[in-house]
PDB file of all heavy atoms in Angstrom:
ATOM      1  N   ILE A   1      17.448  22.716 -11.676  1.00 96.00           N
ATOM      2  CA  ILE A   1      17.497  24.180 -11.414  1.00 96.00           C
ATOM      3  C   ILE A   1      18.456  24.856 -12.475  1.00 96.00           C
ATOM      4  O   ILE A   1      18.122  25.897 -12.980  1.00 96.00           O
ATOM      5  CB  ILE A   1      18.004  24.428  -9.988  1.00 96.00           C
ATOM      6  CG1 ILE A   1      17.176  23.870  -8.904  1.00 96.00           C
ATOM      7  CG2 ILE A   1      18.182  26.010  -9.741  1.00 96.00           C
ATOM      8  CD1 ILE A   1      15.818  24.518  -8.665  1.00 96.00           C
ATOM      9  N   ASP A   2      19.504  24.121 -12.794  1.00 94.00           N
ATOM     10  CA  ASP A   2      20.460  24.668 -13.722  1.00 94.00           C
ATOM     11  C   ASP A   2      19.904  24.731 -15.126  1.00 94.00           C
ATOM     12  O   ASP A   2      19.674  25.885 -15.667  1.00 94.00           O
ATOM     13  CB  ASP A   2      21.744  23.830 -13.667  1.00 94.00           C
ATOM     14  CG  ASP A   2      22.846  24.393 -14.538  1.00 94.00           C
ATOM     15  OD1 ASP A   2      22.656  25.500 -15.130  1.00 94.00           O
ATOM     16  OD2 ASP A   2      23.940  23.754 -14.651  1.00 94.00           O
ATOM     17  N   GLY A   3      19.623  23.608 -15.711  1.00 90.00           N
ATOM     18  CA  GLY A   3      19.328  23.572 -17.167  1.00 90.00           C
ATOM     19  C   GLY A   3      17.869  23.642 -17.493  1.00 90.00           C
ATOM     20  O   GLY A   3      17.603  24.007 -18.636  1.00 90.00           O
ATOM     21  N   HIS A   4      16.914  23.571 -16.518  1.00 94.00           N
ATOM     22  CA  HIS A   4      15.518  23.455 -16.982  1.00 94.00           C
ATOM     23  C   HIS A   4      14.599  24.450 -16.224  1.00 94.00           C
ATOM     24  O   HIS A   4      13.525  24.773 -16.727  1.00 94.00           O
ATOM     25  CB  HIS A   4      14.966  22.011 -16.713  1.00 94.00           C
ATOM     26  CG  HIS A   4      15.824  21.020 -17.344  1.00 94.00           C
ATOM     27  ND1 HIS A   4      16.452  19.942 -16.704  1.00 94.00           N
ATOM     28  CD2 HIS A   4      16.237  20.839 -18.613  1.00 94.00           C
ATOM     29  CE1 HIS A   4      17.166  19.291 -17.481  1.00 94.00           C
ATOM     30  NE2 HIS A   4      17.037  19.733 -18.731  1.00 94.00           N
ATOM     31  N   LEU A   5      14.951  24.973 -15.035  1.00 95.00           N
ATOM     32  CA  LEU A   5      14.153  25.968 -14.419  1.00 95.00           C
ATOM     33  C   LEU A   5      14.298  27.285 -15.231  1.00 95.00           C
ATOM     34  O   LEU A   5      15.357  27.825 -15.309  1.00 95.00           O
ATOM     35  CB  LEU A   5      14.653  26.168 -12.931  1.00 95.00           C
ATOM     36  CG  LEU A   5      13.735  27.098 -12.085  1.00 95.00           C
ATOM     37  CD1 LEU A   5      12.446  26.403 -11.780  1.00 95.00           C
ATOM     38  CD2 LEU A   5      14.460  27.502 -10.850  1.00 95.00           C
ATOM     39  N   ASN A   6      13.172  27.569 -15.793  1.00 94.00           N
ATOM     40  CA  ASN A   6      13.176  28.730 -16.750  1.00 94.00           C
ATOM     41  C   ASN A   6      13.224  30.149 -16.067  1.00 94.00           C
ATOM     42  O   ASN A   6      12.323  30.437 -15.290  1.00 94.00           O
ATOM     43  CB  ASN A   6      11.915  28.706 -17.638  1.00 94.00           C
ATOM     44  CG  ASN A   6      11.969  29.472 -18.822  1.00 94.00           C
ATOM     45  OD1 ASN A   6      12.120  30.745 -18.782  1.00 94.00           O
ATOM     46  ND2 ASN A   6      11.875  28.884 -19.988  1.00 94.00           N
ATOM     47  N   ILE A   7      14.338  30.788 -16.337  1.00 94.00           N
ATOM     48  CA  ILE A   7      14.576  32.109 -15.664  1.00 94.00           C
ATOM     49  C   ILE A   7      13.417  33.118 -15.888  1.00 94.00           C
ATOM     50  O   ILE A   7      13.132  33.947 -15.003  1.00 94.00           O
ATOM     51  CB  ILE A   7      15.936  32.685 -15.965  1.00 94.00           C
ATOM     52  CG1 ILE A   7      16.291  33.736 -14.936  1.00 94.00           C
ATOM     53  CG2 ILE A   7      15.994  33.219 -17.310  1.00 94.00           C
ATOM     54  CD1 ILE A   7      17.716  34.196 -15.028  1.00 94.00           C
ATOM     55  N   VAL A   8      12.771  33.026 -17.045  1.00 94.00           N
ATOM     56  CA  VAL A   8      11.689  33.928 -17.356  1.00 94.00           C
ATOM     57  C   VAL A   8      10.415  33.431 -16.949  1.00 94.00           C
ATOM     58  O   VAL A   8       9.629  34.056 -16.157  1.00 94.00           O
ATOM     59  CB  VAL A   8      11.596  34.241 -18.889  1.00 94.00           C
ATOM     60  CG1 VAL A   8      10.433  35.084 -19.235  1.00 94.00           C
ATOM     61  CG2 VAL A   8      13.004  34.927 -19.233  1.00 94.00           C
ATOM     62  N   PHE A   9      10.025  32.215 -17.361  1.00 95.00           N
ATOM     63  CA  PHE A   9       8.647  31.720 -17.085  1.00 95.00           C
ATOM     64  C   PHE A   9       8.487  31.128 -15.700  1.00 95.00           C
ATOM     65  O   PHE A   9       7.344  31.149 -15.110  1.00 95.00           O
ATOM     66  CB  PHE A   9       8.305  30.594 -18.138  1.00 95.00           C
ATOM     67  CG  PHE A   9       8.217  31.134 -19.502  1.00 95.00           C
ATOM     68  CD1 PHE A   9       8.972  30.578 -20.567  1.00 95.00           C
ATOM     69  CD2 PHE A   9       7.450  32.284 -19.836  1.00 95.00           C
ATOM     70  CE1 PHE A   9       8.883  31.031 -21.891  1.00 95.00           C
ATOM     71  CE2 PHE A   9       7.330  32.734 -21.119  1.00 95.00           C
ATOM     72  CZ  PHE A   9       8.096  32.127 -22.193  1.00 95.00           C
ATOM     73  N   ASP A  10       9.551  30.543 -15.114  1.00 96.00           N
ATOM     74  CA  ASP A  10       9.506  30.092 -13.732  1.00 96.00           C
ATOM     75  C   ASP A  10       9.835  31.087 -12.675  1.00 96.00           C
ATOM     76  O   ASP A  10       9.258  31.039 -11.629  1.00 96.00           O
ATOM     77  CB  ASP A  10      10.398  28.825 -13.576  1.00 96.00           C
ATOM     78  CG  ASP A  10       9.898  27.602 -14.303  1.00 96.00           C
ATOM     79  OD1 ASP A  10       8.623  27.336 -14.176  1.00 96.00           O
ATOM     80  OD2 ASP A  10      10.527  26.856 -14.902  1.00 96.00           O
ATOM     81  N   CYS A  11      10.817  31.869 -13.013  1.00 96.00           N
ATOM     82  CA  CYS A  11      11.454  32.760 -11.959  1.00 96.00           C
ATOM     83  C   CYS A  11      10.955  34.282 -12.187  1.00 96.00           C
ATOM     84  O   CYS A  11      11.217  35.011 -11.313  1.00 96.00           O
ATOM     85  CB  CYS A  11      12.938  32.749 -12.005  1.00 96.00           C
ATOM     86  SG  CYS A  11      13.681  31.153 -11.691  1.00 96.00           S
ATOM     87  N   PHE A  12      10.185  34.547 -13.287  1.00 97.00           N
ATOM     88  CA  PHE A  12       9.751  35.877 -13.540  1.00 97.00           C
ATOM     89  C   PHE A  12      10.917  36.888 -13.555  1.00 97.00           C
ATOM     90  O   PHE A  12      10.866  37.973 -13.135  1.00 97.00           O
ATOM     91  CB  PHE A  12       8.670  36.328 -12.588  1.00 97.00           C
ATOM     92  CG  PHE A  12       7.487  35.422 -12.581  1.00 97.00           C
ATOM     93  CD1 PHE A  12       7.335  34.382 -11.540  1.00 97.00           C
ATOM     94  CD2 PHE A  12       6.510  35.477 -13.513  1.00 97.00           C
ATOM     95  CE1 PHE A  12       6.291  33.602 -11.492  1.00 97.00           C
ATOM     96  CE2 PHE A  12       5.324  34.671 -13.475  1.00 97.00           C
ATOM     97  CZ  PHE A  12       5.337  33.676 -12.570  1.00 97.00           C
ATOM     98  N   GLY A  13      12.084  36.344 -14.072  1.00 95.00           N
ATOM     99  CA  GLY A  13      13.247  37.201 -14.243  1.00 95.00           C
ATOM    100  C   GLY A  13      13.460  37.564 -15.640  1.00 95.00           C
ATOM    101  O   GLY A  13      12.693  37.238 -16.602  1.00 95.00           O
ATOM    102  N   PRO A  14      14.557  38.318 -15.889  1.00 92.00           N
ATOM    103  CA  PRO A  14      14.883  38.727 -17.221  1.00 92.00           C
ATOM    104  C   PRO A  14      15.771  37.732 -17.984  1.00 92.00           C
ATOM    105  O   PRO A  14      16.429  36.980 -17.347  1.00 92.00           O
ATOM    106  CB  PRO A  14      15.684  39.967 -16.998  1.00 92.00           C
ATOM    107  CG  PRO A  14      16.410  39.694 -15.785  1.00 92.00           C
ATOM    108  CD  PRO A  14      15.476  38.853 -14.902  1.00 92.00           C
ATOM    109  N   PRO A  15      15.588  37.602 -19.348  1.00 87.00           N
ATOM    110  CA  PRO A  15      16.622  36.750 -20.094  1.00 87.00           C
ATOM    111  C   PRO A  15      17.921  37.341 -20.020  1.00 87.00           C
ATOM    112  O   PRO A  15      18.108  38.500 -20.081  1.00 87.00           O
ATOM    113  CB  PRO A  15      16.021  36.842 -21.569  1.00 87.00           C
ATOM    114  CG  PRO A  15      15.166  38.091 -21.567  1.00 87.00           C
ATOM    115  CD  PRO A  15      14.647  38.327 -20.205  1.00 87.00           C
ATOM    116  N   LEU A  16      18.933  36.477 -19.762  1.00 82.00           N
ATOM    117  CA  LEU A  16      20.291  36.811 -19.554  1.00 82.00           C
ATOM    118  C   LEU A  16      21.190  36.210 -20.613  1.00 82.00           C
ATOM    119  O   LEU A  16      20.898  35.138 -21.105  1.00 82.00           O
ATOM    120  CB  LEU A  16      20.743  36.433 -18.212  1.00 82.00           C
ATOM    121  CG  LEU A  16      20.072  37.098 -16.991  1.00 82.00           C
ATOM    122  CD1 LEU A  16      20.621  36.526 -15.689  1.00 82.00           C
ATOM    123  CD2 LEU A  16      20.166  38.564 -16.991  1.00 82.00           C
ATOM    124  N   HIS A  17      22.290  36.868 -20.922  1.00 72.00           N
ATOM    125  CA  HIS A  17      23.264  36.393 -21.791  1.00 72.00           C
ATOM    126  C   HIS A  17      22.713  35.975 -23.132  1.00 72.00           C
ATOM    127  O   HIS A  17      23.190  34.984 -23.781  1.00 72.00           O
ATOM    128  CB  HIS A  17      24.046  35.131 -21.207  1.00 72.00           C
ATOM    129  CG  HIS A  17      24.471  35.384 -19.749  1.00 72.00           C
ATOM    130  ND1 HIS A  17      25.441  36.342 -19.491  1.00 72.00           N
ATOM    131  CD2 HIS A  17      24.144  34.781 -18.566  1.00 72.00           C
ATOM    132  CE1 HIS A  17      25.580  36.379 -18.107  1.00 72.00           C
ATOM    133  NE2 HIS A  17      24.854  35.367 -17.611  1.00 72.00           N
ATOM    134  N   GLY A  18      21.749  36.728 -23.698  1.00 68.00           N
ATOM    135  CA  GLY A  18      21.167  36.310 -24.903  1.00 68.00           C
ATOM    136  C   GLY A  18      20.323  35.092 -24.937  1.00 68.00           C
ATOM    137  O   GLY A  18      19.952  34.600 -25.997  1.00 68.00           O
ATOM    138  N   TRP A  19      19.982  34.580 -23.763  1.00 68.00           N
ATOM    139  CA  TRP A  19      19.275  33.276 -23.650  1.00 68.00           C
ATOM    140  C   TRP A  19      17.867  33.507 -24.134  1.00 68.00           C
ATOM    141  O   TRP A  19      17.140  34.445 -23.817  1.00 68.00           O
ATOM    142  CB  TRP A  19      19.371  32.797 -22.242  1.00 68.00           C
ATOM    143  CG  TRP A  19      18.630  31.486 -22.020  1.00 68.00           C
ATOM    144  CD1 TRP A  19      19.043  30.292 -22.443  1.00 68.00           C
ATOM    145  CD2 TRP A  19      17.367  31.377 -21.281  1.00 68.00           C
ATOM    146  NE1 TRP A  19      18.151  29.301 -21.990  1.00 68.00           N
ATOM    147  CE2 TRP A  19      17.144  29.977 -21.289  1.00 68.00           C
ATOM    148  CE3 TRP A  19      16.562  32.240 -20.602  1.00 68.00           C
ATOM    149  CZ2 TRP A  19      16.021  29.448 -20.649  1.00 68.00           C
ATOM    150  CZ3 TRP A  19      15.502  31.689 -19.911  1.00 68.00           C
ATOM    151  CH2 TRP A  19      15.140  30.347 -20.014  1.00 68.00           C
ATOM    152  N   ASP A  20      17.410  32.474 -24.949  1.00 73.00           N
ATOM    153  CA  ASP A  20      16.063  32.439 -25.436  1.00 73.00           C
ATOM    154  C   ASP A  20      15.195  31.597 -24.466  1.00 73.00           C
ATOM    155  O   ASP A  20      15.308  30.396 -24.471  1.00 73.00           O
ATOM    156  CB  ASP A  20      15.993  31.903 -26.843  1.00 73.00           C
ATOM    157  CG  ASP A  20      14.563  31.937 -27.502  1.00 73.00           C
ATOM    158  OD1 ASP A  20      13.677  32.289 -26.735  1.00 73.00           O
ATOM    159  OD2 ASP A  20      14.471  31.433 -28.621  1.00 73.00           O
ATOM    160  N   PRO A  21      14.179  32.288 -23.757  1.00 71.00           N
ATOM    161  CA  PRO A  21      13.417  31.464 -22.880  1.00 71.00           C
ATOM    162  C   PRO A  21      12.506  30.436 -23.525  1.00 71.00           C
ATOM    163  O   PRO A  21      12.059  29.419 -22.844  1.00 71.00           O
ATOM    164  CB  PRO A  21      12.553  32.573 -22.117  1.00 71.00           C
ATOM    165  CG  PRO A  21      12.482  33.613 -23.133  1.00 71.00           C
ATOM    166  CD  PRO A  21      13.807  33.631 -23.774  1.00 71.00           C
ATOM    167  N   GLU A  22      12.199  30.579 -24.820  1.00 74.00           N
ATOM    168  CA  GLU A  22      11.399  29.639 -25.525  1.00 74.00           C
ATOM    169  C   GLU A  22      12.058  28.371 -25.730  1.00 74.00           C
ATOM    170  O   GLU A  22      11.508  27.317 -26.063  1.00 74.00           O
ATOM    171  CB  GLU A  22      10.928  30.230 -26.843  1.00 74.00           C
ATOM    172  CG  GLU A  22      10.139  31.513 -26.715  1.00 74.00           C
ATOM    173  CD  GLU A  22       8.767  31.206 -26.123  1.00 74.00           C
ATOM    174  OE1 GLU A  22       8.300  30.052 -26.109  1.00 74.00           O
ATOM    175  OE2 GLU A  22       8.072  32.164 -25.543  1.00 74.00           O
ATOM    176  N   LYS A  23      13.458  28.284 -25.577  1.00 69.00           N
ATOM    177  CA  LYS A  23      14.186  27.032 -25.778  1.00 69.00           C
ATOM    178  C   LYS A  23      14.241  26.119 -24.529  1.00 69.00           C
ATOM    179  O   LYS A  23      14.804  25.061 -24.575  1.00 69.00           O
ATOM    180  CB  LYS A  23      15.631  27.335 -26.302  1.00 69.00           C
ATOM    181  CG  LYS A  23      15.620  27.971 -27.727  1.00 69.00           C
ATOM    182  CD  LYS A  23      17.071  28.201 -28.169  1.00 69.00           C
ATOM    183  CE  LYS A  23      17.141  28.813 -29.513  1.00 69.00           C
ATOM    184  NZ  LYS A  23      18.476  29.054 -29.989  1.00 69.00           N
ATOM    185  N   GLY A  24      13.750  26.564 -23.436  1.00 66.00           N
ATOM    186  CA  GLY A  24      13.820  25.751 -22.238  1.00 66.00           C
ATOM    187  C   GLY A  24      13.003  24.458 -22.382  1.00 66.00           C
ATOM    188  O   GLY A  24      12.073  24.376 -23.084  1.00 66.00           O
ATOM    189  N   LYS A  25      13.527  23.422 -21.770  1.00 72.00           N
ATOM    190  CA  LYS A  25      12.856  22.131 -21.769  1.00 72.00           C
ATOM    191  C   LYS A  25      11.750  22.028 -20.682  1.00 72.00           C
ATOM    192  O   LYS A  25      11.867  22.626 -19.587  1.00 72.00           O
ATOM    193  CB  LYS A  25      13.856  21.000 -21.542  1.00 72.00           C
ATOM    194  CG  LYS A  25      14.918  20.937 -22.691  1.00 72.00           C
ATOM    195  CD  LYS A  25      15.838  19.767 -22.416  1.00 72.00           C
ATOM    196  CE  LYS A  25      16.824  19.591 -23.538  1.00 72.00           C
ATOM    197  NZ  LYS A  25      17.693  18.477 -23.343  1.00 72.00           N
ATOM    198  N   SER A  26      10.678  21.241 -21.031  1.00 88.00           N
ATOM    199  CA  SER A  26       9.553  21.144 -20.065  1.00 88.00           C
ATOM    200  C   SER A  26       9.140  22.407 -19.579  1.00 88.00           C
ATOM    201  O   SER A  26       8.857  22.657 -18.379  1.00 88.00           O
ATOM    202  CB  SER A  26      10.008  20.179 -18.923  1.00 88.00           C
ATOM    203  OG  SER A  26      10.262  18.852 -19.355  1.00 88.00           O
ATOM    204  N   THR A  27       8.955  23.346 -20.503  1.00 92.00           N
ATOM    205  CA  THR A  27       8.573  24.741 -20.234  1.00 92.00           C
ATOM    206  C   THR A  27       7.112  24.908 -19.748  1.00 92.00           C
ATOM    207  O   THR A  27       6.237  24.330 -20.345  1.00 92.00           O
ATOM    208  CB  THR A  27       8.842  25.678 -21.362  1.00 92.00           C
ATOM    209  OG1 THR A  27      10.219  25.572 -21.692  1.00 92.00           O
ATOM    210  CG2 THR A  27       8.527  27.107 -21.046  1.00 92.00           C
ATOM    211  N   ASP A  28       6.887  25.699 -18.781  1.00 95.00           N
ATOM    212  CA  ASP A  28       5.482  25.992 -18.220  1.00 95.00           C
ATOM    213  C   ASP A  28       5.290  27.507 -18.401  1.00 95.00           C
ATOM    214  O   ASP A  28       5.886  28.193 -17.616  1.00 95.00           O
ATOM    215  CB  ASP A  28       5.327  25.489 -16.723  1.00 95.00           C
ATOM    216  CG  ASP A  28       3.972  25.691 -16.256  1.00 95.00           C
ATOM    217  OD1 ASP A  28       3.146  26.463 -16.889  1.00 95.00           O
ATOM    218  OD2 ASP A  28       3.643  25.054 -15.197  1.00 95.00           O
ATOM    219  N   ARG A  29       4.463  27.904 -19.256  1.00 95.00           N
ATOM    220  CA  ARG A  29       4.160  29.273 -19.435  1.00 95.00           C
ATOM    221  C   ARG A  29       2.893  29.811 -18.735  1.00 95.00           C
ATOM    222  O   ARG A  29       2.496  30.927 -18.936  1.00 95.00           O
ATOM    223  CB  ARG A  29       4.096  29.599 -20.954  1.00 95.00           C
ATOM    224  CG  ARG A  29       5.304  29.277 -21.825  1.00 95.00           C
ATOM    225  CD  ARG A  29       5.070  29.297 -23.265  1.00 95.00           C
ATOM    226  NE  ARG A  29       6.214  28.997 -23.993  1.00 95.00           N
ATOM    227  CZ  ARG A  29       6.714  27.783 -24.322  1.00 95.00           C
ATOM    228  NH1 ARG A  29       6.042  26.728 -23.849  1.00 95.00           N
ATOM    229  NH2 ARG A  29       7.796  27.625 -24.968  1.00 95.00           N
ATOM    230  N   SER A  30       2.382  28.998 -17.940  1.00 96.00           N
ATOM    231  CA  SER A  30       1.114  29.344 -17.215  1.00 96.00           C
ATOM    232  C   SER A  30       1.223  30.584 -16.407  1.00 96.00           C
ATOM    233  O   SER A  30       0.221  31.332 -16.432  1.00 96.00           O
ATOM    234  CB  SER A  30       0.556  28.208 -16.383  1.00 96.00           C
ATOM    235  OG  SER A  30       1.500  27.884 -15.316  1.00 96.00           O
ATOM    236  N   GLY A  31       2.261  30.816 -15.667  1.00 96.00           N
ATOM    237  CA  GLY A  31       2.454  32.043 -14.971  1.00 96.00           C
ATOM    238  C   GLY A  31       2.490  33.307 -15.767  1.00 96.00           C
ATOM    239  O   GLY A  31       1.752  34.280 -15.473  1.00 96.00           O
ATOM    240  N   PHE A  32       3.082  33.242 -16.867  1.00 94.00           N
ATOM    241  CA  PHE A  32       3.156  34.385 -17.735  1.00 94.00           C
ATOM    242  C   PHE A  32       1.805  34.676 -18.314  1.00 94.00           C
ATOM    243  O   PHE A  32       1.373  35.814 -18.496  1.00 94.00           O
ATOM    244  CB  PHE A  32       4.222  34.173 -18.874  1.00 94.00           C
ATOM    245  CG  PHE A  32       5.335  35.167 -18.743  1.00 94.00           C
ATOM    246  CD1 PHE A  32       6.173  35.171 -17.540  1.00 94.00           C
ATOM    247  CD2 PHE A  32       5.760  36.042 -19.807  1.00 94.00           C
ATOM    248  CE1 PHE A  32       7.242  36.028 -17.412  1.00 94.00           C
ATOM    249  CE2 PHE A  32       6.803  36.926 -19.623  1.00 94.00           C
ATOM    250  CZ  PHE A  32       7.558  36.904 -18.477  1.00 94.00           C
TER     251      PHE A  32
END
């Protein structure tokens, strides 16, 4: 939940603290 649940692609939330959602591990973009 901490390091890999993607706040943008998994949670449909905003990128925070300048975080780049494309750098997430095991990323699933299917929802977007």
Side-chain angles (χ1 to χ4, degrees):
I1 299 286
D2 184 3
H4 307 122
L5 188 72
N6 193 302
I7 196 169
V8 174
F9 296 128
D10 286 316
C11 300
F12 302 99
L16 298 177
H17 311 299
W19 179 71
D20 181 358
E22 298 293 340
K23 291 183 179 179
K25 295 184 177 182
S26 296
T27 302
D28 183 346
R29 299 171 178 80
S30 61
F32 248 57

